[in-house]
Amino acid sequence: MLIRTPRGWELPERLATPEDIFLNRRALLAGAGSIAAVGAMPELAFAADDPTADLYPAKRNPAFKLARQITPEKINSHYNNFYEFGSHKKISEKAQALEVRPWEVKIDGEVEKPFTIGIDDLIRKMALEERLYRHRCVEAWSMTIPWSGFPMQDLVALAKPLSSAKYVRMETFHNPKVATGQKAAWYPWPYVEGLTIAEATNELAFLVTGAYGKPMAKQFGAPLRLAVPWKYGFKHIKSIVRFSFTSERPKSFWEAVQAREYGFWANVNPAVDHPRWSQATERDLATGVRIPTKLYNGYGAQVAHMYKGMEGEKLFM
Ligand code: MTE
């Protein structure tokens, strides 16, 4: 992303947040109150009119937990990358212009039978669950979020890809009238991302429909976004309208903008710097403190096997 290098790289490690702090929801609320700046932020409107609101809060899956403090919702929801609404972090108000119903999702390409499905039908076909995930942006900040959604492997099963399909290409909506950032002709709209089928069916790949126990706020990428927590945040495509199964590796949005800085794989690695800044540490948005970054963002046990024998590839940018 075209950003300034943040200051404060050199914070001593003794100031890092201990990794053994795990807060439950009640403690989270108490913690949120203690962060002075958060109090000044406007409350989010609760999406009670969302046709799937009755499905939340989804049952938490205890297999996906954190050893970090959950970032207060007010912080997450006012610090977003969503270039469709501007190339800065304060897009939350502008993003409210996005109409998330009706919303259709197209499944096409190398599948048994292409189809289009309404978002509410899709969500109700899936068993929603809540997972606590880390989120590490390539810009060297991070948060932790209680996402709700369903495993991406369930969508792949529904799509019935042919054996020739090796990748899933995902696409965001394109509507420059509403998303005025899409009028910027120097970006290759719509936003596109891609995964291999192995990645898309990895147990961690998650399609997100909700956050913080309710339908997801628009700035998070409602009504459907991706969470692949071992990869940098730009892989987490928002407001998806299309999944295309293909035998050719898709070129993602940021790769098309600047391939030297943003690659297809984009796995988190503290030892591989971005050409313009270090990736050794990250600023935890909940505490403002810089903490060491982990290989695969701490998810190596679940994902490292997928990259065995691929050492020739640029796996970490
Ligand atoms: N998806 C779309 N469609 N447009 C974007 O600009 N930004 C990406 C990703 N998905 C982006 C997107 C980047 S760079 C990051 S870090 C995350 O969304 C940010 O997600 P968040 O706002 O929920 O933290």
Side-chain angles (χ1 to χ4, degrees):
M1 268 94 282
L2 308 172
I3 61 154
R4 281 187 301 120
T5 305
R7 290 184 201 150
W9 291 116
E10 303 306 332
L11 251 195
E13 252 185 47
R14 69 190 152 74
L15 292 184
T17 315
E19 282 275 310
D20 56 355
I21 309 168
F22 171 68
L23 297 184
N24 61 25
R25 279 172 200 234
R26 214 166 299 154
L28 162 69
L29 288 176
S34 68
I35 298 172
V38 176
M41 293 173 176
E43 282 290 347
L44 282 181
F46 174 57
D49 57 343
D50 184 293
T52 58
D54 58 297
L55 301 176
Y56 301 89
K59 193 162 181 279
R60 184 173 289 177
N61 183 336
F64 302 94
K65 51 188 185 214
L66 293 172
R68 276 186 197 175
Q69 182 180 337
I70 293 175
T71 311
E73 182 183 7
K74 277 191 178 180
I75 292 182
N76 273 2
S77 55
H78 293 85
Y79 191 90
N80 302 99
N81 274 332
F82 204 168
Y83 275 61
E84 285 82 347
F85 296 98
S87 55
H88 53 85
K89 301 288 180 282
K90 293 189 175 163
I91 54 78
S92 57
E93 262 181 50
K94 276 195 136 192
Q96 303 317 309
L98 181 63
E99 297 278 352
V100 295
R101 294 293 188 289
W103 190 277
E104 290 193 325
V105 177
K106 190 188 237 184
I107 313 263
D108 66 359
E110 298 177 27
V111 292
E112 275 183 20
K113 196 169 183 248
F115 62 93
T116 299
I117 185 167
I119 188 69
D120 298 317
D121 289 345
L122 176 65
I123 293 174
R124 287 191 188 278
K125 265 186 198 295
M126 302 293 170
L128 296 193
E129 61 183 57
E130 184 180 74
R131 297 181 177 190
L132 305 181
Y133 270 4
R134 300 168 176 210
H135 177 77
R136 171 47 161 94
C137 180
V138 74
E139 298 164 346
W141 51 264
S142 64
M143 8 195 185
T144 49
I145 310 123
W147 291 129
S148 312
F150 55 90
M152 188 166 182
Q153 57 192 359
D154 294 351
L155 181 119
V156 174
L158 187 71
K160 300 196 178 79
L162 304 177
S163 58
S164 57
K166 302 285 179 268
Y167 301 91
V168 191
R169 178 188 182 277
M170 290 154 279
E171 200 176 288
T172 295
F173 71 90
H174 190 213
N175 185 353
K177 275 195 197 132
V178 171
T180 51
Q182 290 182 329
K183 289 183 179 159
W186 54 91
Y187 287 123
W189 307 109
Y191 200 97
V192 167
E193 258 308 337
L195 295 174
T196 63
I197 300 280
E199 290 175 327
T201 53
N202 181 277
E203 59 176 320
L204 282 176
F206 199 52
L207 284 167
V208 177
T209 59
Y212 294 91
K214 52 193 187 234
M216 176 164 52
K218 293 179 180 179
Q219 58 268 41
F220 287 138
L224 189 67
R225 79 173 266 171
L226 177 68
V228 277
W230 71 99
K231 291 183 180 284
Y232 289 117
F234 65 89
K235 297 291 294 183
H236 302 215
I237 182 171
K238 296 180 168 183
S239 303
I240 305 169
V241 293
R242 185 174 179 192
F243 295 85
S244 304
F245 290 79
T246 163
S247 49
E248 276 175 33
R249 191 160 105 180
K251 183 170 261 185
S252 53
F253 179 86
W254 285 108
E255 199 183 357
V257 171
Q258 182 51 281
R260 215 178 63 80
E261 301 192 351
Y262 309 106
F264 173 78
W265 298 103
N267 296 312
V268 175
N269 189 339
V272 179
D273 288 342
H274 183 277
R276 289 183 283 133
W277 59 83
S278 165
Q279 296 290 24
T281 62
E282 64 206 53
R283 185 167 55 89
D284 176 2
L285 288 191
T287 59
V289 170
R290 197 156 281 286
I291 55 180
T293 287
K294 293 185 170 181
L295 181 61
Y296 294 113
N297 203 19
Y299 295 101
Q302 292 96 328
V303 301
H305 67 273
M306 292 191 289
Y307 308 105
K308 288 262 156 63
M310 293 175 59
E311 287 70 22
E313 295 270 343
K314 287 190 170 169
L315 292 172
F316 302 106
M317 62 155 281

